Structure formats: C-alpha cells, structure tokens
Amino acid sequence: MFALSAAVILALAVSGNAQNLGKPVLFTDGLSPHVDASFWAHLNPTQSTWDQWGWGWIPQSCFDAANSNNVSPYDFEVFNVHYTDCGTAWVFCRHHSASLSQIDMIDLFGRLPVHERQWIRHVVAVPGGGSAYELNADVVFQGPVGTPSVFQHEVGHAVDFYKNGFQSSGTSQFLNAIQQDSCVPDDYANSNNVEDYTQVGVLSLYEIVNPGGLDPIGANWRCLVNQKNVLDGFQRDNMIPGGVCDRRWADSTIVKMGPAVPRVKRGPVGPIPQPAGLPVPGPSKAGPDVYKNLVFNATEKRNAETRQAAWQKAAKGAEA
C-alpha cells in the first residue's frame, strides 16, 4: 500500500461528512453510564488463549502506532490471541506502560460479536489520557479506556468503513435519518455523522444484548429511531453475538522494532498467524475519540484474570 500522511488519511476519511450536527442529545453525560453496566453483564467473554512473541519483531502498523504516539517500538509486547470462534489469531500490540493490560485487551475485544471483530486487523494499547482511534482497520487505545462501550465504538468505526464496501455513515440514507430525527445519542455524537453513527451503534448493540432492549435505558430513545433503523439495516447482522468468523484481513507486515534488534532475532517470534483474506483496501481514520464518565468494573477485571489463567492452564494441559 502506498504511504499517506496522517493529514491526507484524515481528509479522505471525513470528506463529505456532515460536521457539527447541532442536535439535542439523548444523554448529556455520554453513553457509558447508561450502557456499560449491561454490557459488562450481558456481553459474554469469548474463550481464548494467547502466546507471546519474542522481543524484537512487531507488525508494521503497530510500529507506526508507536511512532504516532511518541513511544518506542522497543517497549512493546506483541502477542497472538486465539479465540475459539475464529480459526485465525489476532495479533495484539501493547506498550509496557499502557493502562490496559494484556488481559483487559483480550477480554474486552473478545466480548464483542465475532462478526464485528473480524473487521479489525490489530488491537493496540498505548499510554494516554483516555482516548482511542481507528486507523486502517486497527484500533488504538490510549490510556484508561477499558470499557465495552469504548471497544464497541472503535470497532464500530471499522465496520462502518469496510463492512458494506462503502462508508455507511456517509450515505444519504443515514444523513437523511439525522435530519429526520430530533436527537443524537450524546454530545460526542454531535461532532459529525461518523461519530454519531458509531454511537448509535453502541445503542443498537445495547438493544440486542440488554434484557428488554432499549426501553429500560431511561430516556426516550425513539428520538433517534430513524438513525438506528438505518444503521441496523447496514450492519445489525454483524452485531448479533455468536457464530464464527467468516473473513479476516491479512496481518500487517512483520518488521524489526529497530536497528538494536540482532539480525538473528527472527527465530523466537513464536507462532505467527497465517495471513487471511485481502489486504485492508484503503485508508480509514476516525478519532481520536476522547472519553469521559466511563464506567469501569473492577470485579469483571479480576474475573477476566482468573478466567484467562484457567483457559491458559487448560490449553497447556491439553498440549501435554
């Protein structure tokens, strides 16, 4: 793929998008306080195991994310995550000082429906103040953003850009729906149609997994019903939990972390997933999305650590 500057990628991603929607909002405090408790309870983790790469090698797009976030590629841990609902592992990249732990990343990504996850190439965590972005089918989490709604929002950007072969949030159907409705989900959704679309997607996933759907959410969500109906038509089939993956992007090219890596270091990388599917077809960029009022869950974090340890132990026992 030819190289594009960040500015050009951003220009391509937002070209033709409606900015500053100026609509009343359903929630003034963001979506997390209204959806994440249910997500923690009803988005079930997918069983998985992971294996660490040897130090020295990293996917090119993770290398680029390190440079973009002013951290050293040498300080990354790279690991394969094998979910039971997909035959090809995902490669994750985590900076040693990232707020999200390896288990956080594995657990939160694995809670999302596999037919959404399959549109993501790499999952990356770096230090930061509480933001995230999607870039060319990678999702990059900056700082303390470990909630299901954040992961759904960022993965939702890739589904928006790639699932239908066009940017669903930029279609006349969705832009007209914004005009027809009397509200958008929250203040951040008011930024532009791209962020609005993915926030509507968070509400749509809530409707799918929450007992009673959207009605118990505590506000009259029907003020955005046209937006939700258009989004559901574009991608609800990929938002239903269950099933197995039926497509994947090829992994980013593996490169050295830098010149300090010995030439003989290529061997200990460990199992590398075979590239599957097509290369990411073109640039996409959404964010950085800045998050506030996030609802974390310390109990679920501990449960994830216990659960992952048990899955790892069982897998090693099966190999013995």
Side-chain angles (χ1 to χ4, degrees), residues 32 36 40 97-101 104 108 125-132 140-151 289-296 301:
S32 181
D36 270 320
W40 285 116
S97 297
S99 297
L100 295 179
S101 70
D104 293 334
L108 285 160
V126 296
S131 55
V140 181
F141 300 95
Q142 304 162 301
V145 289
T147 71
S149 64
V150 170
F151 272 65
D289 304 313
V290 179
Y291 292 96
K292 300 177 181 178
N293 302 320
L294 295 179
V295 176
F296 302 105
K301 180 181 176 70

Side-chain angles (χ1 to χ4, degrees), residues 157-206:
H157 280 309
V159 181
D160 172 21
F161 281 113
Y162 296 116
K163 189 257 183 183
N164 295 303
F166 52 82
Q167 183 185 333
S168 303
S169 60
T171 60
S172 60
Q173 296 99 307
F174 189 68
L175 296 176
N176 289 338
I178 295 172
Q179 296 304 314
Q180 293 164 8
D181 285 338
S182 60
C183 78
V184 295
D186 63 356
D187 289 328
Y188 194 60
N190 250 334
S191 302
N192 56 59
N193 55 300
V194 176
E195 302 304 339
D196 179 38
Y197 186 89
T198 46
Q199 287 295 71
V200 172
V202 172
L203 293 178
S204 184
L205 183 63
Y206 179 92

Side-chain angles (χ1 to χ4, degrees), residues 29-274:
D29 54 347
L31 293 188
S32 181
H34 307 280
V35 301
D36 270 320
S38 184
F39 282 160
W40 285 116
H42 301 295
L43 277 175
N44 296 320
T46 303
Q47 185 172 345
S48 62
T49 57
W50 60 272
D51 47 82
Q52 194 90 6
W53 287 24
W55 178 86
W57 298 86
I58 189 169
Q60 178 70 58
S61 62
C62 295
F63 180 93
D64 295 341
N67 290 328
S68 297
N69 285 275
N70 299 312
V71 292
S72 171
Y74 292 121
D75 294 332
F76 273 74
E77 50 203 30
V78 184
F79 52 103
N80 304 317
V81 182
H82 309 264
Y83 293 103
T84 54
D85 56 11
C86 192
T88 303
W90 278 267
V91 179
F92 285 42
C93 305
R94 177 186 178 271
H95 188 271
H96 295 326
S97 297
S99 297
L100 295 179
S101 70
Q102 286 191 2
I103 303 302
D104 293 334
M105 297 169 71
I106 295 168
D107 178 68
L108 285 160
F109 188 66
R111 288 175 183 265
L112 299 183
V114 67
H115 292 121
E116 289 194 304
R117 283 186 277 128
Q118 68 184 8
W119 295 102
I120 298 301
R121 180 174 55 176
H122 298 302
V123 182
V124 185
V126 296
S131 55
Y133 61 91
E134 180 274 339
L135 176 63
N136 301 338
D138 296 334
V139 283
V140 181
F141 300 95
Q142 304 162 301
V145 289
T147 71
S149 64
V150 170
F151 272 65
Q152 170 58 33
H153 180 99
E154 299 307 327
V155 170
H157 280 309
V159 181
D160 172 21
F161 281 113
Y162 296 116
K163 189 257 183 183
N164 295 303
F166 52 82
Q167 183 185 333
S168 303
S169 60
T171 60
S172 60
Q173 296 99 307
F174 189 68
L175 296 176
N176 289 338
I178 295 172
Q179 296 304 314
Q180 293 164 8
D181 285 338
S182 60
C183 78
V184 295
D186 63 356
D187 289 328
Y188 194 60
N190 250 334
S191 302
N192 56 59
N193 55 300
V194 176
E195 302 304 339
D196 179 38
Y197 186 89
T198 46
Q199 287 295 71
V200 172
V202 172
L203 293 178
S204 184
L205 183 63
Y206 179 92
E207 180 184 48
I208 291 168
V209 303
N210 184 64
L214 273 168
D215 287 340
I217 203 168
N220 184 10
W221 62 270
R222 289 174 177 81
C223 62
L224 50 74
V225 66
N226 291 296
Q227 296 163 77
K228 193 190 79 67
N229 287 344
V230 170
L231 179 139
D232 285 347
F234 281 133
Q235 68 185 56
R236 190 180 181 93
D237 58 335
N238 275 200
M239 300 177 72
I240 306 297
V244 296
C245 68
D246 54 33
R247 53 94 55 222
R248 287 290 305 280
W249 297 124
D251 293 328
S252 182
T253 302
I254 300 170
V255 299
K256 282 187 176 183
M257 291 177 174
V261 178
R263 296 186 67 178
V264 297
K265 193 64 179 178
R266 183 65 175 84
V269 170
I272 304 299
Q274 293 297 315

